[in-house]
Amino acid sequence: MTSAQVEKGTENTSEEGYERGLGSRQVQMIAIGGAIGVGLFLNAGANIAKAGPSLILMYAVAGVIIFFIMRALGELLLYRPVSGSFAEYSREFLGPFFGYFTGWTYWLMWVVTGMAELTAAAIYVHYWFPDVPQWLTALVFLVILFGVNLISVKVFGELEFWFSMIKVTALIGMIVIGLGVLTFGFSAAGDTAAVSNLWAFDGFFPKGIGSSLMTLQGVMFAYLAVELVGVTAGESENPEKTLPKAINTLPWRIALFYVGALTVILCVVKWTEFAEGVSPFVKAFAVIGIPAAAGIVNFVVLTAALSSCNSGMYSTGRMLRNLAESGEAPAVFKKLSATKAPAVGVAVSVAFMGIGVVLNYIVPEKAFGYVVSVATAAGIWTWLMILISHVLYRRAVDAGRLPASPFPAPGGAKCSYVAIAFLLFVTGLIAYDADSRVCLYVMAGWAAALGVGWVVLKSRNPQIAERREPESTKAG
């Protein structure tokens, strides 16, 4: 087959059979939306109470590490753009077991995240309609988002675009209003708003550096889903152009939406006024005196939760199909619907998310936090696999065994080593914290279950443990 024939045949369809229906506009917004979630809108309040203004530094440091991770992923994606990329690269560079483990663990991350986000969305709607049962609201959202993911990837991309647009608009609005208060001194907060609020109340590290470092686990949860761009690789219209652009704009997104927004909020409102369970954005709007502040932020956080759940359905279906194609999940997950969507994989994932709706209805409130911590642990594993795969890929390129990617990570493998050390440090912090270490026990049980599953798979099909050459080795 000639290169012209290949180009013609893959113009609208990826090598995996997916429709390349995600345009640059949608991939950009999916990337932006992935970096703005409930972790920022809600969890930041508790972290401010623990770390004070130094939380800004924690977000900045973690943001640098996230950029290292995404540039490592970007180099791999342009070497070989495939949907379900994390599992595929783990499979290629570390071996079949790691591909199997990473694929199922990323699936777990999104399923438990979907459980949490659906329940959160129902709670947010409860704010306006207290008489409507939470389980009913969660079920309605589950069915609607399920339908969106079955229609086509274009509909998914469009919905995600508008979800992200709402979040971005809200954050930019908050920053502009906050800067106005600081500059012109209007509103009820005008008399107390000042840049000196960042250090005037017991310093920049009011609770000590140790307390600040302990917030890193919550900060990393806020960054979960930035790697979703990698899952879109098989359905991007032009991955060679859209993916580098989406990844290279990550630093300014983090600088603006995380570091910038928190800096402005903590200048306008003293850090001592924030507490766990209260969104810092609701608090800031209330202090400034904006009418219906709680309602506005409640709507924005609702879209953030629905956006996350929507992304979860999208990514879990693709990951299950990737596992099925490698013989690591039932073959039925390989089927695509008439609209090129992995309908069976999405349906099964939605069913598990539905179980979460029931569980969150009957279990205590603390279980909700456990679900979040499990998602964080699974996310850290995914990031580690991306980084280790990148290190091994660079070794293969240096040795002349593989072609160089057209989108090399700055600093080569050095930045990946730094990011690996940082993620291991955060894992140590999780183990040190009595409340969050339960997720490590859950992950240990999950690892044991996957280990048993791997033994069963090998006994039925010994070839599954053999390394296979990837079908394509290069983007384009």
Side-chain angles (χ1 to χ4, degrees):
M1 184 178 288
T2 66
S3 59
Q5 287 173 311
V6 172
E7 184 177 348
K8 183 179 179 181
T10 60
E11 184 177 356
N12 295 313
T13 306
S14 69
E15 292 179 8
E16 301 130 292
Y18 292 121
E19 176 189 5
R20 289 201 180 275
L22 294 176
S24 177
R25 172 179 66 93
Q26 293 167 326
V27 172
Q28 287 291 319
M29 267 304 176
I30 288 171
I32 292 173
I36 307 170
V38 176
L40 173 63
F41 285 115
L42 287 181
N43 290 5
N47 287 327
I48 290 172
K50 293 176 183 175
S54 65
L55 183 65
I56 298 168
L57 179 61
M58 298 301 106
Y59 270 104
V61 171
V64 171
I65 299 301
I66 290 296
F67 181 62
F68 290 167
I69 295 169
M70 291 304 294
R71 280 306 301 257
L73 177 59
E75 183 167 355
L76 292 169
L77 287 171
L78 271 292
Y79 148 70
R80 193 162 68 91
V82 289
S83 187
S85 55
F86 329 117
E88 192 59 34
Y89 300 135
S90 299
R91 191 173 292 115
E92 178 179 353
F93 295 107
L94 287 97
F97 173 76
F98 287 93
Y100 156 83
F101 194 99
T102 301
W104 277 110
T105 300
Y106 195 67
W107 176 83
L108 172 71
M109 185 195 94
W110 274 114
V111 166
V112 296
T113 299
M115 292 178 186
E117 301 292 7
L118 275 172
T119 305
I123 292 171
Y124 303 145
V125 171
H126 199 67
Y127 171 84
W128 293 297
F129 305 101
D131 295 331
V132 177
Q134 282 184 205
W135 68 267
L136 181 60
T137 308
L139 182 62
V140 169
F141 284 142
L142 189 71
V143 171
I144 291 174
L145 294 179
F146 179 45
V148 165
N149 274 270
L150 291 186
I151 295 171
S152 76
V153 70
K154 288 183 178 179
V155 175
F156 160 79
E158 198 62 28
L159 186 62
E160 199 59 26
F161 174 86
W162 289 107
F163 276 153
S164 297
M165 183 66 77
I166 291 170
K167 292 186 285 186
V168 168
T169 303
L171 279 176
I172 292 177
M174 178 68 240
I175 292 170
V176 170
I177 292 171
L179 289 175
V181 172
L182 284 169
T183 305
F184 302 108
F186 64 81
S187 87
D191 294 335
T192 57
V195 176
S196 60
N197 284 339
L198 295 178
W199 60 82
F201 301 92
D202 298 325
F204 191 69
F205 292 91
K207 299 288 185 74
I209 295 177
S211 293
S212 299
L213 291 175
M214 290 304 294
T215 64
L216 280 174
Q217 47 189 306
V219 169
M220 296 310 289
F221 169 72
Y223 284 127
L224 282 183
V226 292
E227 74 292 326
L228 186 64
V229 172
V231 184
T232 70
E235 293 168 276
S236 301
E237 288 178 354
N238 191 345
E240 292 82 3
K241 291 183 179 179
T242 57
L243 295 177
K245 187 176 180 182
I247 291 170
N248 278 335
T249 55
L250 186 65
W252 74 257
R253 294 199 305 270
I254 290 174
L256 177 64
F257 298 129
Y258 278 93
V259 179
L262 283 174
T263 300
V264 170
I265 284 177
L266 289 172
C267 287
V268 172
V269 183
K270 296 180 291 185
W271 75 267
T272 52
E273 296 188 29
F274 295 97
E276 185 175 356
V278 178
S279 168
F281 293 87
V282 172
K283 181 67 177 179
F285 278 165
V287 171
I288 292 171
I290 296 176
I296 294 170
V297 176
N298 199 69
F299 174 73
V300 173
V301 178
L302 171 63
T303 63
L306 293 177
S307 170
S308 181
C309 191
N310 190 38
S311 298
M313 291 183 188
Y314 171 86
S315 58
T316 50
R318 274 74 184 166
M319 196 57 72
L320 285 180
R321 185 165 186 256
N322 179 272
L323 288 164
E325 288 178 334
S326 300
E328 297 159 0
V332 68
F333 292 137
K334 288 193 284 188
K335 293 182 180 180
L336 289 176
S337 66
T339 56
K340 308 289 185 183
V344 178
V346 174
V348 169
S349 300
V350 167
F352 276 94
M353 291 180 189
I355 293 172
V357 174
V358 177
L359 288 175
N360 277 286
Y361 179 75
I362 60 176
V363 297
E365 215 172 283
K366 203 165 185 179
F368 191 84
Y370 291 157
V371 167
V372 169
S373 66
V374 170
T376 305
I380 287 175
W381 173 270
T382 300
W383 291 334
L384 282 171
M385 290 300 99
I386 291 170
L387 293 165
I388 294 171
S389 296
H390 177 248
V391 168
L392 296 176
Y393 166 70
R394 288 303 295 251
R395 287 182 186 173
V397 170
D398 294 342
R401 297 194 303 272
L402 289 175
S405 170
F407 186 49
K414 296 184 184 68
C415 292
S416 289
Y417 281 119
V418 172
I420 289 170
F422 180 85
L423 292 179
L424 293 177
F425 173 68
V426 173
T427 303
L429 293 177
I430 292 173
Y432 180 77
D433 187 357
D435 288 335
S436 60
R437 77 168 67 112
V438 65
C439 73
L440 299 181
Y441 301 142
V442 173
M443 291 304 296
W446 174 252
L450 287 182
V452 172
W454 182 249
V455 171
V456 174
L457 285 172
K458 278 204 305 181
S459 66
R460 294 180 177 178
N461 180 15
Q463 292 182 339
I464 200 173
E466 297 176 3
R467 284 182 180 264
R468 298 183 293 278
E469 291 296 319
E471 293 181 7
S472 64
T473 59
K474 195 176 179 182

